[in-house]
Amino acid sequence: MNVDTEKLEVVFKIIKNEINKTLKDAPINELIKIKKQNKWLTVFATILSSRTSDKILLKVLKNLSTIIKTPHDVLNLNYQDLLNLLKPLGFYKVKAKYLIDFSKQIITKYNLEIPKEINEITKLPGIGKKVGAIIINNLYNIPIIGVDIHVHRILNRLGIIKTKKELETFKIINSIDNQEIKNNLNHYLVAMGQVICKSKPKCNICFLKEYCNYYRKIIIEKTS
């Protein structure tokens, strides 16, 4: 399968221009600011992000960041206190286990060095390809696109790719060469998904509708 790189480049430039305008209130923007405070917060926040809205994650992180700043802090914290901190999140007990197991392994097996390679970082608890890609992109500026539901959905709605599953999207979209796009696409599309292109999209206010196959289909269906 191919990527419509020409459309991708056009769309990317438009979203880049809107990230601090139309998309400025997207929770992902605030989340990225918090992540930049501490490399371990980047890791912990990304592990905790699955199946949780960024609005809820932000609230949890603001409390978590005052108590937990390193893997040692995770292991030194009373287990029930950790559960209480994570309770607003979906699957909070599973995520607590991930944080504990990750912290043990990153200390004992990796000497607190976070792997830079996707195949290595995904050996750690709680880190699949999406989480691993986001972590190494955020920490090391390695050009790799983490693919979540927003990225997968929007790329397919636009017609830039045609895939069924997120892992398939991950493989295909990361075949592109444009480094700037690979460094920023996850952030931009997540913001887009949080503000406009939700599961029920706000096509009427979307600045990408003229490029969107999904919108074009809606117009054809309404007029046919």
Side-chain angles (χ1 to χ4, degrees):
M1 291 187 182
N2 297 321
V3 179
D4 187 339
T5 53
E6 185 176 342
K7 181 186 279 190
L8 176 61
E9 288 172 4
V10 170
V11 162
F12 179 82
K13 287 178 183 177
I14 295 170
I15 304 180
K16 180 181 179 181
N17 188 55
E18 296 291 337
I19 196 69
N20 294 314
K21 297 177 183 177
T22 311
L23 304 177
K24 64 182 175 62
D25 293 327
I28 186 68
N29 295 330
E30 182 66 22
L31 182 58
I32 286 174
K33 289 178 185 177
I34 292 176
K35 282 183 175 183
K36 288 181 178 179
Q37 295 174 15
N38 178 302
K39 73 175 182 178
W40 295 111
L41 281 180
T42 295
V43 177
F44 299 152
T46 312
I47 290 174
L48 297 174
S49 65
S50 297
R51 300 184 185 182
T52 298
S53 74
D54 280 345
K55 284 184 179 180
I56 295 174
L57 180 59
L58 279 168
K59 290 179 182 179
V60 170
L61 276 182
K62 285 176 181 177
N63 292 326
L64 194 73
S65 63
T66 63
I67 300 168
I68 294 174
K69 299 185 187 298
T70 70
H72 288 292
D73 293 337
V74 174
L75 300 181
N76 290 333
L77 188 66
N78 177 275
Y79 178 66
Q80 190 57 52
D81 290 339
L82 178 61
L83 288 183
N84 289 338
L85 281 169
L86 302 184
K87 198 167 185 178
L89 303 173
F91 303 93
Y92 70 98
K93 290 183 180 179
V94 174
K95 291 176 181 179
K97 186 177 188 306
Y98 282 156
L99 285 192
I100 292 168
D101 291 346
F102 169 87
S103 297
K104 286 177 181 176
Q105 288 197 27
I106 203 69
I107 292 168
T108 59
K109 293 185 178 181
Y110 293 88
N111 195 29
L112 292 172
E113 291 292 329
I114 300 167
K116 295 182 179 181
E117 299 80 24
I118 191 68
N119 290 334
E120 188 64 32
I121 198 170
T122 49
K123 294 177 183 178
L124 285 159
I127 300 183
K129 282 194 173 180
K130 177 194 78 173
V131 171
I134 292 171
I135 289 172
I136 63 178
N137 175 247
N138 287 343
L139 290 185
Y140 302 119
N141 290 319
I142 292 171
I144 186 170
I145 303 165
V147 174
D148 65 359
I149 186 59
H150 296 297
V151 176
H152 174 70
R153 177 189 288 147
I154 295 170
L155 289 175
N156 275 281
R157 281 179 173 173
L158 287 166
I160 289 170
I161 60 173
K162 187 176 181 181
T163 57
K164 298 287 187 183
K165 297 180 180 179
E166 290 176 24
L167 281 176
E168 187 183 2
T169 298
F170 176 85
K171 181 178 180 181
I172 291 170
I173 197 62
N174 275 295
S175 68
I176 67 171
D177 295 323
N178 189 306
Q179 306 255 316
E180 183 186 7
I181 292 178
K182 291 178 86 168
N183 269 324
N184 296 283
L185 191 65
N186 175 275
H187 173 194
Y188 292 176
L189 291 187
V190 170
M192 185 77 187
Q194 290 175 340
V195 177
I196 296 174
C197 200
K198 304 181 180 185
S199 55
K200 187 177 180 181
K202 300 178 180 179
C203 296
N204 58 314
I205 64 167
C206 183
F207 47 78
L208 294 177
K209 57 189 174 187
E210 67 180 281
Y211 303 98
C212 183
N213 289 11
Y214 179 88
Y215 178 74
R216 194 174 298 117
K217 182 182 177 183
I218 290 174
I219 296 299
I220 290 171
E221 286 179 352
K222 283 185 177 180
T223 56
S224 61

